[in-house]
Amino acid sequence: MASSKPTNPEVDNDMECSSPESGAEDAVESSSPVAAPSSRFKGVVPQPNGRWGAQIYEKHSRVWLGTFGDEEAAACAYDVAALRFRGRDAVTNHQRLPAAEGAGWSSTSELAFLADHSKAEIVDMLRKHTYDDELRQGLRRGHGRAQPTPAWAREFLFEKAVTPSDVGKLNRLVVPKQHAEKHFPPTTAAAAGGDGKGLLLNFEDGQGKVWRFRYSYWNSSQSYVLTKGWSRFVQEKGLCAGDTVTFSRSAYVMNDTDEQLFIDYKQSSKNDEAADVATADENEAGHVAVKLFGVDIGGAGMAGSSGG
DNA sequence: GGATGTGTTGAT
DNA sequence: TCAACACATCCG
């Protein structure tokens, strides 16, 4: 008699949405299967046949997200749509991003993935129940070096404004110690030969081109450096002092040895004026990096792609 | 004929 | 914006 409004008994914000359908259990709420009860989840409505529908509203109209045998799955579909339609601060049934958590990649990647697809595309995936697959597939794409890895599949590590000596004749880039030790493999690793001569690291750039640099520690200057191969990068990209190089890695990493590193650069606004050309089409590299870390799911930035 | 999605309304 | 309910439409 106490409760007069058993609408939303607070969900357990901790379940995951990995396995859709395939689990239409009735174990939930073992009471009277007669009258279809209202869903415990936001955006989920019962269907006459006992299944569950997901929907979200936008601009006075309803956007149908499909039907699901599992109330959970329907709730997750709503969550994904809410994030895409209303941004990372959207009210959802589950605290965290459904498909990404527990699968090994960061939620940032999923937000970027969402930002990289139109609302219509996301809705379509949800209705076809292919969202999870698309997400995983996308994260894996590019590792085979066929095409550049999408910005949203990368995880920012650090960046550095290059100094005159970094782009000079010394043929080396000093990697800030704190970042080197935190993000790059130890130079004493077995792979390095163990003799402190450093090791070779591969970096993929914004165009999907792979660069190989020697990475080592110089006792003389007590600093970590990228040497062999670096000058070529500087030359081809037309790097100038003041420009910024950005390092990132694949957001989807199963083990350390499988880690893919990326390198991009952003031309300094000053150097921009100098317009050295040679990098006209490569400005995209910088643009991508900016987009990755400035991703704003709900902002006007995405409104444009909402149409279709 | 069952499943799916829309029309529509009333509540918040 | 949201969900309940009715019902039109789709599809095997």
Side-chain angles (χ1 to χ4, degrees):
Chain A
M1 313 324 167
S3 58
S4 58
K5 193 67 173 177
T7 311
N8 276 327
E10 279 309 319
V11 185
D12 223 289
N13 295 356
D14 208 29
M15 4 183 88
E16 290 172 15
C17 313
S18 302
S19 49
E21 23 189 357
S22 73
E25 323 100 1
D26 318 47
V28 195
E29 303 290 323
S30 56
S31 31
S32 54
V34 188
S38 61
S39 175
R40 328 190 296 273
F41 301 105
K42 183 180 178 65
V44 178
V45 294
Q47 291 296 93
N49 54 356
R51 288 166 63 79
W52 301 90
Q55 58 185 25
I56 188 171
Y57 287 82
E58 184 196 43
K59 199 39 176 132
H60 276 271
S61 60
R62 169 180 49 202
V63 177
W64 189 253
L65 305 176
T67 57
F68 307 80
D70 189 354
E71 190 177 4
E72 270 294 329
C76 290
Y78 173 85
D79 290 352
V80 169
L83 287 171
R84 178 59 182 82
F85 280 60
R86 299 164 187 169
R88 66 171 130 258
D89 294 327
V91 175
T92 56
N93 292 299
H94 305 93
Q95 198 68 330
R96 285 295 173 188
L97 299 177
E101 292 306 319
W105 51 75
S106 68
S107 56
T108 301
S109 300
E110 185 166 8
L111 285 174
F113 173 82
L114 288 169
D116 208 40
H117 293 78
S118 71
K119 293 179 183 177
E121 288 175 317
I122 297 300
V123 168
D124 195 57
M125 292 178 205
L126 293 174
R127 290 176 71 145
K128 290 179 181 172
H129 297 192
T130 60
Y131 177 77
D132 279 20
D133 285 343
E134 297 275 359
L135 178 59
R136 292 162 199 266
Q137 223 169 292
L139 286 167
R140 208 164 314 218
R141 190 188 313 149
H143 281 208
R145 103 252 143 227
Q147 18 176 217
T149 300
W152 49 264
R154 306 179 208 173
E155 180 181 303
F156 176 79
L157 292 178
F158 67 93
E159 64 180 18
K160 181 194 180 184
V162 298
T163 66
S165 64
D166 285 332
V167 296
K169 300 175 181 177
L170 297 180
N171 184 26
R172 64 100 175 93
L173 169 74
V174 173
V175 181
K177 197 168 189 173
Q178 51 173 357
H179 294 130
E181 295 181 339
K182 181 176 181 180
H183 303 296
F184 287 174
T187 54
T188 56
D195 55 2
K197 298 300 181 187
L199 58 162
L200 295 176
L201 295 181
N202 291 328
F203 294 84
E204 184 184 318
D205 69 12
Q207 283 68 50
K209 178 174 181 176
V210 176
W211 297 81
R212 171 170 290 192
F213 304 129
R214 174 166 293 282
Y215 169 63
S216 56
Y217 181 73
W218 282 352
N219 287 304
S220 59
S221 56
Q222 307 246 305
S223 53
Y224 292 91
V225 293
L226 290 181
T227 57
K228 189 171 184 292
W230 174 248
S231 62
R232 179 175 291 277
F233 182 83
V234 171
Q235 183 176 5
E236 184 168 318
K237 301 299 185 185
L239 269 189
C240 299
D243 290 347
T244 301
V245 287
T246 302
F247 293 92
S248 51
R249 67 169 183 176
S250 46
Y252 181 72
V253 179
M254 283 312 226
N255 55 64
D256 291 354
T257 62
D258 207 30
E259 178 179 276
Q260 172 65 54
L261 295 167
F262 301 93
I263 183 170
D264 276 312
Y265 74 97
K266 288 179 285 189
Q267 195 170 47
S268 163
S269 57
K270 294 178 183 177
N271 298 333
D272 197 15
E273 311 247 345
D276 219 52
V277 195
T279 60
D281 63 329
E282 314 223 337
N283 272 339
E284 242 180 39
H287 175 66
V288 171
V290 171
K291 178 184 175 186
L292 173 57
F293 309 112
V295 60
D296 185 283
I297 298 296
M302 296 179 64
S305 61
S306 59

